[in-house]
């Protein structure tokens, strides 16, 4: 409802779809590994996690606004599986709030994690492309396309190693790419999908790669 908070139905401010109290109460991903975005204990703020020290991903840093919990998980499910434009608009706004530009140069191109054409046809909706088109327009970043060549099995229940193997060679990018690119996905779990796309971007000429996502799933085990 216009003028009402999506979460509590209270009065919102400045035409935003939330009130200040609900915005503050969301599960922000503020204490996270700067390399992969995995939520970390408060005392580990700014430190690269042990897994990234042992197995650095192909991207250089991650910006993930929220943790995949509570109201955020519900919103993402509405957006991803029910193609709710209202949920998508709120998630896009939250992504911009939680991922304000870092110091340094902005990316010269944005690429969404692509669905395989067969999966996109089945679902009838490509949530990553939907977010990327709108974010690119709002941030004035050129939007480029990647190709997904294999309709990989579901990643659910797979550990990091098996996820990486599942996605090996799944993506390609027509180059040459500019030096600085950002990759966008709706939800990041282990980062294996973004890592595979980042490797394709490296092969196409990218030198500095950021991984962006609306939410990060906290891992229960390494």
């Amino acid at each position: 409802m216009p003028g009402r908070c999506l979460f509590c139905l209270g009065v919102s401010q400045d035409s935003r779809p939330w009130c200040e109290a609900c915005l503050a109460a969301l599960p922000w991903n503020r204490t996270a590994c700067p390399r992969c975005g995995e939520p970390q204990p408060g005392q580990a703020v700014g430190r690269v996690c042990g897994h990234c020290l042992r197995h650095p991903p192909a991207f250089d840093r991650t910006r993930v606004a929220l943790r995949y919990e509570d109201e955020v998980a519900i919103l993402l499910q509405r957006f991803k599986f029910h193609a709710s434009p209202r949920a998508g608009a709120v998630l896009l706004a939250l992504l911009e709030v939680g991922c304000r530009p870092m110091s340094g140069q902005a990316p010269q191109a944005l690429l969404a994690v692509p669905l395989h054409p067969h999966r996109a046809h089945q679902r009838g909706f490509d949530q990553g492309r939907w977010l990327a088109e709108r974010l690119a327009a709002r941030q004035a970043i050129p939007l480029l396309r990647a190709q997904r060549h294999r309709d990989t099995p579901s990643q659910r229940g797979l550990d990091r190693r098996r996820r990486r193997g599942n996605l090996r060679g799944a993506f390609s990018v027509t180059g040459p790419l500019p030096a600085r690119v950002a990759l966008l996905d709706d939800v990041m779990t282990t980062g294996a999908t973004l890592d595979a796309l980042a490797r394709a971007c490296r092969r196409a000429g990218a030198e500095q790669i950021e991984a962006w996502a609306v939410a990060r799933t906290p891992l229960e085990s390494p």
Side-chain angles (χ1 to χ4, degrees), residues 124-185:
F125 177 61
D126 186 337
Q127 73 279 358
R129 185 73 186 176
W130 191 99
L131 288 170
E133 287 175 347
R134 287 153 181 80
L135 184 62
R138 287 160 68 153
Q139 299 292 329
I141 303 173
L143 181 61
L144 304 180
R145 284 185 178 271
Q147 292 79 45
R148 189 166 193 149
H149 300 291
R150 291 193 291 113
D151 188 9
T152 52
S154 173
Q155 299 280 74
R156 293 178 185 176
L158 302 183
D159 60 19
R160 293 180 193 263
R161 182 182 60 81
R162 293 172 66 195
R163 282 173 181 255
R164 287 197 300 270
N166 198 24
L167 289 157
R168 190 171 292 117
F171 301 108
S172 68
V173 179
T174 301
L177 290 179
R180 301 184 306 277
V181 302
L183 314 180
L184 179 65
D185 205 356

Side-chain angles (χ1 to χ4, degrees), residues 62-112:
T62 296
R63 288 200 261 173
V64 184
L66 298 148
R67 299 190 305 275
Y68 186 77
E69 298 173 356
D70 308 326
E71 294 93 342
V72 174
I74 294 169
L75 267 180
L76 277 158
Q77 289 164 14
R78 288 178 188 165
F79 174 58
K80 188 169 185 172
F81 299 112
H82 301 285
S84 167
R86 170 68 167 166
V90 173
L91 291 167
L92 180 59
L94 290 171
L95 174 66
E96 291 185 298
V97 169
C99 294
R100 291 187 177 95
M102 295 178 176
S103 58
Q105 296 175 307
Q108 296 167 297
L110 179 67
L111 295 91

Side-chain angles (χ1 to χ4, degrees), residues 9-94:
L9 298 182
V11 177
S12 62
Q13 298 177 351
D14 301 325
S15 301
R16 294 185 175 185
W18 54 67
C19 67
E20 291 303 316
C22 287
L23 181 68
L26 289 175
W28 296 102
N29 193 34
R30 294 194 175 102
T31 57
C33 169
R35 190 71 189 263
C36 73
E38 184 178 343
Q40 301 291 306
Q43 63 269 26
V45 175
R47 296 181 186 174
V48 175
C49 72
H51 184 268
C52 287
L53 290 173
R54 296 189 301 271
H55 306 286
F59 44 82
D60 300 292
R61 62 182 62 87
T62 296
R63 288 200 261 173
V64 184
L66 298 148
R67 299 190 305 275
Y68 186 77
E69 298 173 356
D70 308 326
E71 294 93 342
V72 174
I74 294 169
L75 267 180
L76 277 158
Q77 289 164 14
R78 288 178 188 165
F79 174 58
K80 188 169 185 172
F81 299 112
H82 301 285
S84 167
R86 170 68 167 166
V90 173
L91 291 167
L92 180 59
L94 290 171

